[in-house]
Amino acid sequence: MIEVRNPGTGELLGEVESCTEEHVASVVDTAQEGQREMAALAAHERESLLRRVADLIEAEAESLARLLAAENGKPIVQTRGEVAAAVRIFRGYAGEATRLFGRQIPLDAVPGLERHLAVTIREPLGVVAAIVPFNYPVELYAHKAAAALAAGNAVVVQPPARCPLAVLRVAELVAQAGAPPHAHQVVTGGVRVSQLLAELPGIAAVSLTGSTVAGRELARRGADTLKKVFLELGGNDALIVCADADLTEAARAVVLGRLARGNGQICCAVKRVYADRAVYDDFVAVLLEETGKLSVGDQLQESTDVGPLIAEEAAERVEAAVDRLVADGARLVTGGGRRGAFYDPAVLSDVPVSSAAFNEEIFGPVAPVASFTDPMEAVRLANDSPYGLQAAVFTRDISRAFTIASRLDVGGVVINGSTALRAENLPFGGTKDTGGFREGVHDTALEFTRQKTVIITEAFG
């Protein structure tokens, strides 16, 4: 059994069975029938199903948000926003279920085929495995499960082992909404369950949001059965503060996009800050002022900005990373205290760009700030990373903004805002070790289908 506890208080919230290998295999077998039933539903029926799920989630939004905050550690205000996003995502994919368009391809482009007609149609992939991370489990579950169902697939969901309860409750709502038997199933457990989902031939595609290490491993295991593997992996997102930037807004972007949002446990959080030397001291001063306004404590309190990390071991890893930065020459100018799973938001200045810890993904409320003297130097430093998820640029010069954006090797660039920005209707993902996949309402439903070409010979007299 897996014990699920409040990471701040240690309170036992529930126990969840860890699935055996035999049970996972059985679920995948029965999912084949669920997939056939989903594929047989008309597009408007799939749309209605997803809208019913959205309505049921919305009706339980407050209790789901409180459950998620208790098991995950994110402040209640933020988990309310996450549940609201899941509602929008289900409704967004409901619409996409009716917009899986094929194409008519002109065969008169080929000599001798002028009288033939060719069209493509979209068909489901099969059974999709959705492996969900701990940091935004309800929202990212929605992106994967709703997309799979919208496209006529069955889905087997693996919720995060440390905080599965809210996702398990949503799974009950999917059944209540009338999903066909075995079309939406959940398997619980750890790494071995994920490996099985990548290995079993009954899985047509795996969608993972997680670490780069996990992504590589599942991609290797999925290769034996040539299944599709969709990966949204790590990030070490840079925020560049130019000399003409609004320093207050830039500092707030770091605070809200790194120190407070998700307790710093977001793949697209601001993880590296590069400030122009001309405004460096002023920027750090404003950043410290804004950081000082944050309240750390019980995630179920309305006034809390930063709650506990997902586990005490996670806070220990953050603490060790900060220690390495300081050992490399950075100055810890505020925060940095650890109490169990809580870690006080930390700001480090004068960070040497050569520090190995600076180039690693620190998954917690830590803002390391380095300096540059030329914007193109900042671009080079930002690109000098194995990851390429998102980046941000603060400047009042629109030409400079677009120039820098065009040269950053990332999947998304935010101008005068935080990197921790994800809207469900935008393609989200990155380059390099971030995985290359793009997830979003208008993209994922198509990714979860395959094209079939139909040729009608002598269609035209």
Side-chain angles (χ1 to χ4, degrees), residues 117-152:
L117 174 68
V119 297
T120 65
I121 57 177
R122 291 278 178 177
E123 296 182 335
L125 287 177
V127 179
V128 175
I131 303 177
V132 181
F134 76 82
N135 55 348
Y136 277 78
V138 174
E139 181 175 344
L140 296 178
Y141 152 82
H143 263 298
K144 301 176 191 305
L149 296 173

Side-chain angles (χ1 to χ4, degrees), residues 18 46 48 110 183 210 256 261 307 329 333-334 359 365-366 396:
S18 183
R46 299 197 302 273
S48 295
V110 181
L256 298 178
R261 189 76 57 80
V333 289
T334 192
N359 292 314
V366 178
R396 291 183 171 91

Side-chain angles (χ1 to χ4, degrees), residues 369-386:
V369 188
S371 65
F372 65 86
T373 56
D374 177 80
M376 289 304 104
E377 178 193 4
V379 170
R380 180 185 62 78
L381 293 169
N383 286 341
D384 188 18
S385 168

Side-chain angles (χ1 to χ4, degrees), residues 246-328:
D246 183 323
L247 300 185
T248 298
E249 289 303 313
R252 287 174 179 167
V254 175
V255 170
L256 298 178
R258 172 54 162 173
L259 301 180
R261 189 76 57 80
N263 305 330
Q265 300 167 118
I266 311 178
C267 57
C268 61
V270 178
K271 298 191 176 81
R272 295 176 290 157
V273 183
Y274 298 100
D276 193 299
R277 174 49 63 186
V279 295
Y280 186 88
D281 292 339
D282 291 340
F283 170 74
V284 171
V286 177
L287 179 57
L288 291 174
E289 180 181 354
E290 294 294 325
T291 303
K293 299 175 183 178
L294 294 174
S295 171
V296 181
D298 183 352
Q299 69 268 31
L300 294 173
Q301 296 296 317
E302 300 288 337
S303 59
T304 296
D305 298 305
V306 183
L309 275 64
I310 188 63
E312 185 170 355
E313 307 94 271
E316 290 171 347
R317 288 193 292 271
V318 172
E319 183 179 42
V322 170
D323 288 345
R324 290 197 300 273
L325 285 170
V326 172
D328 288 341

Side-chain angles (χ1 to χ4, degrees), residues 5 8 26 33 53 65 70 135 142 149 160 205 267 279 297 424 427 449:
R5 295 184 178 274
S26 175
E33 177 59 30
V53 173
N135 55 348
L149 296 173
C267 57
V279 295
E424 58 269 11
T449 65

Side-chain angles (χ1 to χ4, degrees), residues 27-74:
V27 165
V28 173
D29 284 343
T30 60
Q32 310 309 312
E33 177 59 30
Q35 192 277 319
R36 287 189 286 272
E37 293 193 37
M38 278 303 303
L41 292 180
H44 70 84
E45 293 175 308
R46 299 197 302 273
E47 176 190 27
S48 295
L49 169 63
L50 294 180
R51 291 196 185 280
R52 291 194 299 272
V53 173
D55 290 345
L56 289 170
I57 296 173
E58 191 170 51
E60 292 192 14
E62 182 62 20
S63 61
L64 282 169
R66 296 192 72 81
L67 176 59
L68 179 56
E71 64 174 336
N72 172 275
K74 286 206 303 284

